[in-house]
Every structure is written in C-alpha cells, then in structure tokens.
Amino acid sequence: IAGITQAPTSQILAAGRRMTLRCTQDMRHNAMYWYRQDLGLGLRLIHYSNTAGTTGKGEVPDGYSVSRANTDDFPLTLASAVPSQTSVYFCASREGPGNQPQHFGDGTRLSIL
Amino acid sequence: GQSLEQPSEVTAVEGAIVQINCTYQTSGFYGLSWYQQHDGGAPTFLSYNALDGLEETGRFSSFLSRSDSYGYLLLQELQMKDSASYFCAVRDPGNTDKLIFGTGTRLQVFP
C-alpha cells in the first residue's frame, strides 16, 4: 500500500543520545515535512524539503537536522536529545503545488528521559 | 506573525450538526485547509477552500469568508466515529509550500 512509513513507532531515549527518525514515502512526492505535536500546541513544523537535495527550516528547527539525499527518504536527526524534545513526530509529504493536501505518516512517539 | 484561533473543545450528540470555527490572522492568504486526527492516529486531509463559499463533501462541509478572515467546518449527521480533533491550517504567506496549523478543536460525540 502506497504511503508514508515512519520508524520507529515509539522510542524511549536517554538525554544526550543521538537519534534518527526515519521517514520513507513511495508516492514520489517532491515535498516532505517534519512536524512535532505537543498537547495544546497543535502541529509545528520543524524542517521541510521542497525537492530532493534541498531543505529548509520551519518554526521550531533548533536541535534538529534533516537531509534529503533522494525523493523517498527524509530522516530527522536529534544530535543530542533533551527532555523538551519529548513529543510525537509526524512526517508528511505533498504532491504538486501548495494547495494540494499533505499526507501524514503514523508518527513516532519519542520520550527523552 | 501568523495565527489561527479555534475553540479547544466542542461536544455534541449523535445525529446532530456541529460547526467548528477558525479565525486567522495572516499577512497574506492563500487558502484554508481542514484536517482530522483521531486519538493516536495521523492527521488526514478533509477539505480546502481558496475562494469564498461552501465546499461540500458528503456529511462534511467547509466554508470560507476571506473578508472576515474566517472559516468553519460543518459536520452533519454526527456519528460516534467523528469524535476526533480537527485542525484548520493556512498556507504560510512567506512560503506557500508550508502550512501553519491551528491548535485544534477536540470534538466529542455522545450517544
């Protein structure tokens, strides 16, 4: 089934550790996004990529990095995790121009202790 | 900056009609979207309005008034499965490839 796959589904991580959240899509969408969702704050954009080889910062980029080596993969890395990065992380992709819907993965629930 | 305002929670009974409002403040406007998210699930796209008026998709309709910077999602013939959070979102006027989401409205449908 076509869509977006995120891994892991959930993770508990010690503060200070490095962590990469994986996101793969098989829809050949050019644009991809990483959001974090915290209670009462909705979805906040961390980083995005309009096409392979390009990335941009969102609303809350500090402490996170991304890469877009190809169309399908858009990993999100926490270089040194901190407790405030405890959140649910969603990857999304979009086909076509900005008025088209974004398609979301099932999310990664990350707890930093 | 850009901001969107939605009620935090709405309750209704099965079979009823409910309206979820969204007001926005943006330096430019390029369309209003609605997404649904069930507890523990992923957001899913419901509708998009770029022009004034009502867009209908089955039991769900979405309305936009650009002059009032206002839109709403109308859910008719409510079912228990409609219990979810609903988010409005606008395209970021600084970069229309990005969306800015509201904080969401939690809808609880009671039997």
Side-chain angles (χ1 to χ4, degrees), chain A residues 33 35 37 40-43 45 48 50 57-58 90 94 97-99 101-102 104-106 109, chain B residues 30 33 35 37 40-45 48 87 91 95-104:
Chain A
Y33 307 85
Y35 294 91
Q37 186 173 35
L41 294 177
L43 290 153
L45 183 66
Y48 68 98
N50 285 336
K57 293 181 179 180
F90 286 100
R94 192 196 79 234
N99 61 345
Q102 292 188 12
F104 286 79
D106 289 334
R109 187 174 297 273
Chain B
Y30 299 90
S33 300
Y35 286 78
Q37 184 181 29
T44 57
F45 172 78
Y48 174 76
F87 296 88
R91 294 169 69 185
N95 182 336
T96 56
D97 287 313
K98 299 191 291 183
L99 289 177
I100 300 170
F101 284 85
T103 53

Side-chain angles (χ1 to χ4, degrees), chain B residues 18-96:
Chain B
V18 72
Q19 179 174 311
I20 299 174
N21 299 320
C22 174
T23 57
Y24 58 86
Q25 277 191 304
T26 57
S27 55
F29 180 75
Y30 299 90
L32 181 72
S33 300
W34 288 93
Y35 286 78
Q36 178 192 58
Q37 184 181 29
H38 288 97
D39 284 349
T44 57
F45 172 78
L46 288 177
S47 67
Y48 174 76
N49 295 68
L51 302 175
D52 292 348
L54 193 68
E55 296 275 347
E56 297 181 64
T57 309
R59 296 187 296 112
F60 293 5
S61 304
S62 57
F63 172 83
L64 176 65
S65 168
R66 289 174 294 171
S67 60
D68 295 321
S69 297
Y70 163 76
Y72 65 72
L73 182 69
L74 190 73
L75 297 82
Q76 303 182 73
E77 301 171 23
L78 280 173
Q79 302 176 10
M80 296 294 290
K81 68 179 182 179
D82 298 328
S83 293
S85 292
Y86 293 85
F87 296 88
C88 59
V90 294
R91 294 169 69 185
D92 186 338
N95 182 336
T96 56

